[in-house]
Amino acid sequence: MSIEHREHVGEVTTTPERFENPGISPHRPRLSDEDPRAAKRAERQTILIFTLSILATVGGIVGYFAFPIQAPSLGNVRMSTLTLGLGLGIGMLGIGVAAVHWAKSLMSDVERVEERHVQRSDDATRAAAVEILSTGAAESNIARRPLLKGALGTALALAPLSFLVPLIGNLGADWNVSKFRHTAWAPVNGKLRRLATDPSDRPIKPSDVTIGSVVHVMPQGLPDEPGYLEEKAKAVVLLIRLDPRDLNEPEDRKDWSYEGIVAYSKICTHVGCPVALYERQTHHLLCPCHQSTFDVANQAKVVFGPAKRALPQLPIALDEEGYLVAQSDFLEPVGPSFWERER
Amino acid sequence: MKALAASRRHRFAPVILMALALLFTGAIYAALAPNAAQADTASATDIAEGERLFITNCSTCHGMSAQGTADGPALIGVGAAAVHFQVVTGRMPMAANAPQAEAKPPQLTGEQAQQIAAYIASLGAGPSIPSDQQVDPTLGDAANGMQVFRTNCAMCHNAVGAGGALSEGKYAPALDGATATVIYEAMLTGPQSMPVFNDATLTPDEKRDVIAYLMEQRQPNPGGLDLGSFGSVSEGIWVFVVGIGLLIGAAVWIGARSS
Amino acid sequence: MSAETSFSKAPPAAAVAAADFLDTRLGVAKAVKGLARKLFPDHWSFLLGEIALYSFIVILISGTFLTMFFVPSVAEVRYPMDALPVTMRGQQMSEAFASTLNMSFHVRGGLLMRQIHHWAALVFIGAIVVHMMRVFFTGAFRKPRELNYVIGFSMLIMGLLAGLTGYSLPDDVLSGNGLRITDGVVKSIPIIGSYLSYMVFGGEFPGTDTIPRMYTLHILLIPGLILAMVGAHLFLVFWHKHTQYPGPGRTHKNVVGYPLFPVYTAKAGGFFFIVFGVLALMGATMSINSVWNYGPFDPSLVSAGAQPDWYMLFLEGSLRLMPGAAEVVIGGYTLSLNVLIPAVVVPGVLFTLLGAYPFVEAFATKDTGEHHVLDRPRNVPTRTAIGVAILSAFFVLLGGGANDLLATQFQLSINAITLVFRVLFFVLPFVAFIVTKRICLGLQRKDREVSLHGHETGRVVRFASGEYIEVHQPLDEYERWIRVGHDVYRPLEIEPAEDLNGVRRPGHGKDKIRARVSQFFYQDRVEPVTPAELAAASAHGEHDALPALPADRPSEELDARVH
């Protein structure tokens, strides 16, 4: 029986078109309304719960003094947290449960009715309001002086500028956004920068990096330089050694690696998380934040996930002492894309 | 005696018991350890027994003389540590071809694992099973271990070693059940997807520091239940299950008419 | 009872004096007279907003504790060698992180307060969302409450900002990576992205300004704004008087409930303590954001399972699900649609849709009356279905944000999960819409059925003729009213495009759109039973008349509880 799409029900002689609201249903008394013993029981329960709360609070304070925090044990931290927390929690919960129990069992539960008034003001009030406003506007003579109105508006609109301009102007420090393009790998005074382990800052020889191993590196000496974290945020690199037979290098990058050792920026080209999960067997690098997957054997091109661009490669070589160095800075900006990146 | 009784009642009795259990496990392990230390200089009988075990359990995939087949890699030169790791964690022999070999109850005893390891080590030099001292967490520096762990390990194994996902169904396992020796061997040999951390990239001391950090993490969380250590997602689930759940329960109670 | 008897006694003199003092200065008697007996309808779902309010108060209390010990600075310090935890000794870290550790391990109750604060924050936003769902599905946002809906919606946004800024303060690896993702998202904004990034971080990421700036936003500006909005929100609740569920005696012109004093004071006041108690127990027993496990922030580090708090998880999910191919370079300028769409467009559409919904629905109904009786969700199938569709998309994004945990916990491939969620994000809302709407219409038909024929009683009766019927218990008028009392909207009829003289009617274009929206909302509907239908149903020998049959009529009762 489809009753959808039906239009008005046909008029039937005397019955009304809609049901009438029957009014509030009769009040059903509670146990505690009729039986004084039930009421007394509810009162005793309420008192009991309040008492529980009092005891819990006292217990929590005892816990504060009973568990002073001292090295080397974590135990007291745990106990202190637990006792204070249980004291506070049960103390509060007791008050709440008792109050609600009181309200539910002993306070009147007869529903009452109150009239509502529509939000709209009545016509007389509205008219009066309009009258007041138009009188005021007339007294200010604003309608007949458009220039004054314009001047007021302009002044009001401009005034916040003396607050906003210095605020916004200073928020961005020097606004030199070209810093995105450079990292600490650029040679300093013509000296190529060595690759060193993070965090112990040891320089690395190719023999240290066996096939299948990964070293997290940064420019040697970086921790002592100014703006360490800002530079590190751009300069971190993953050094990976593959079997040279697995490595698929284009002609122009043939001399960027050293005997199967390649160095790629660790900063994801998606939104900048450190890409660090290296799967030795598949040569895939996975970003734990959004699962962009890069193929290290294949110029770290994206094979899965939300990143578009390959990870920038750092060209490496050996210095005269046999340590790995960066031939130059990265040849493209590292990290997430930005508007003027290709410019 | 009184102190003992008091400490039994102490909230931390389970923790101490856990520590004792760990010590006990360590003691049992110590009984095997002389074999471990001597794996490289294992007796000829061990090697012979190892070869027999290898042929029975491993040769189907790895070939009769560990030269490798289409189903499994060559094992010559992988070293005793790699074999010991794979066998004592039950990863080898593999049950079925899967994205990665899973840890399961070991099929061979610790002694048998030592023997196979000795046999493989006799075929070609490779990393050997670490000594007790090399993996003793009490000799390591947990603070330095944390630094090393979070630089090299946490991205796959999670900040406290609760494990994490890799691509295509592979995963980095949780570390909470791993013994110190197994952790050391995994770093040294890089099983399956895991990269190799040789002694130049992570010095033996740093490896021991990592073990010290992981053992320190097995202490109960001072903040209470650790909710699986999965971080924000499990916290988010619990906030609805426990927090919002209880409070809506309370609201229903408040709104319900008393009988 | 007892309350009334105690009132009959004369109040103590001190109370009289105090009341007189206040009234002669503030006129409080007028306020008491006007407010104390104000009525509040009783229903559990009306307490959801209170959960949010009370957890906000708990946040303020616990947060005040934390400010006493937190140092909002990224100046480098070395953690002391005799301090807890041992894994942090001697490490380089910011003062912000060091002070967080210190308050957790060396301030008694500090860790408890941190955990209460964080749990309360999660509950706060959770309760706002659940409260908003209640408001949405019951139509409480309709005239005259649209503006209060917008205020509540703005509080949700403010709550998200409060969470985001607070989450970053401890300066640990997890929150640091959250900031880094924020940086990546900001940089993707066309034209001004790079400069916005400089503005947020005071130069290059991570900079030294972020923590102190976020601190000020977190403890002053955002809570101040939330407090102001809470004030406005509650004022409007009083001003409009609370909505009520449909039921006998409830109309758009009255409010039925219990007085503010004493019943509601005790219930709502008691509920504050219950909320506080539950949050304190959570803080006492469940660890949250154990920052010492993540360690101090360092831009080269990350850990598996790097996720934001739950309320930001949908953004994380949409970032994860978006394929990378969307990034394009136009005329040498990079447009990172692979970041912009999931992180800016998706939440933008979601929030615009939610914020504008009351006005869209009002446009479709062209209804100008005041609504104080709530809808049962089944009686507005299209709205309910829209809500469920939005929720289903939200859940897909949440799942996307947790795809690595789904992969490890259920031994699935993370790539496969991601691909499935990409499809589900588009398919599931449609399925959810259709299924929900059908369920609503089905429930309405069930209501009609029950209104017409009464409840099944499980009693089966056999007549002498061999006929079996089940006895139905007719509804009383109060119970019936809930099922038949609601208003039904029908698609709007629009006037023809041209009047009788063939002149184009102005506003016809808008009306056509309105008619289409209205059609979408109200084409499928089930009308409530009318008295005429009920009379007709009872007239042709319905079963509900049976219990009144004469007892001597030969019949046999069968137990048919399994029926």
Side-chain angles (χ1 to χ4, degrees), chain A residues 11 21 63 69 71 97 108 119 136 172 180 190 199 204 206 233 288 310-312 321 331:
Chain A
E11 284 86 56
N21 192 328
I69 288 181
V97 170
S108 161
Q119 296 301 313
F180 293 159
I204 303 163
L311 293 171
E321 288 174 59
L331 300 183

Side-chain angles (χ1 to χ4, degrees), chain B residues 28-29 31-36 38-39 42-43 45-54 57 80 83-84 87-89 106-120 129:
Chain B
I28 290 184
Y29 183 74
L32 298 167
N35 288 340
Q38 290 156 20
S43 68
T45 52
D46 275 351
I47 294 177
E49 179 61 16
E51 181 170 10
R52 196 189 63 74
L53 287 166
F54 179 86
N57 294 292
V83 178
H84 186 251
V87 176
V88 296
T89 59
Q107 296 182 24
L108 300 167
T109 65
E111 193 187 352
Q112 289 172 323
Q114 303 277 356
Q115 288 165 337
I116 301 179
Y119 165 66
I120 295 296
I129 301 172

Side-chain angles (χ1 to χ4, degrees), chain C residues 71 106 208 296 349 398 431 507:
Chain C
V71 184
H106 301 115
T208 52
V349 168
L398 287 184
V431 175

Side-chain angles (χ1 to χ4, degrees), chain A residues 28 78 104 208 210 213 280, chain B residues 190 193 196 198 221 253 257:
Chain A
R28 261 186 307 121
R78 192 178 157 93
K104 278 176 55 122
D208 298 342
T210 46
S213 59
R280 183 166 63 90
Chain B
S193 292
V196 178
N198 61 37
N221 190 317
W253 173 62
R257 225 177 146 270

Side-chain angles (χ1 to χ4, degrees), chain C residues 483-498:
Chain C
R483 291 176 172 78
V484 301
H486 57 281
D487 305 320
V488 173
Y489 292 103
R490 302 184 178 86
L492 294 171
E493 305 268 336
I494 56 170
E495 295 167 39
E498 291 163 2

Side-chain angles (χ1 to χ4, degrees), chain B residues 114-140:
Chain B
Q114 303 277 356
Q115 288 165 337
I116 301 179
Y119 165 66
I120 295 296
S122 73
L123 299 177
S128 53
I129 301 172
S131 70
D132 274 2
Q133 209 197 355
Q134 276 177 297
V135 302
D136 185 352
T138 57
L139 299 174

Side-chain angles (χ1 to χ4, degrees), chain C residues 372-384:
Chain C
H372 301 291
V373 176
L374 296 172
D375 291 320
R376 298 166 82 212
R378 70 183 62 174
N379 289 338
V380 264
T382 305
R383 179 205 295 152
T384 307

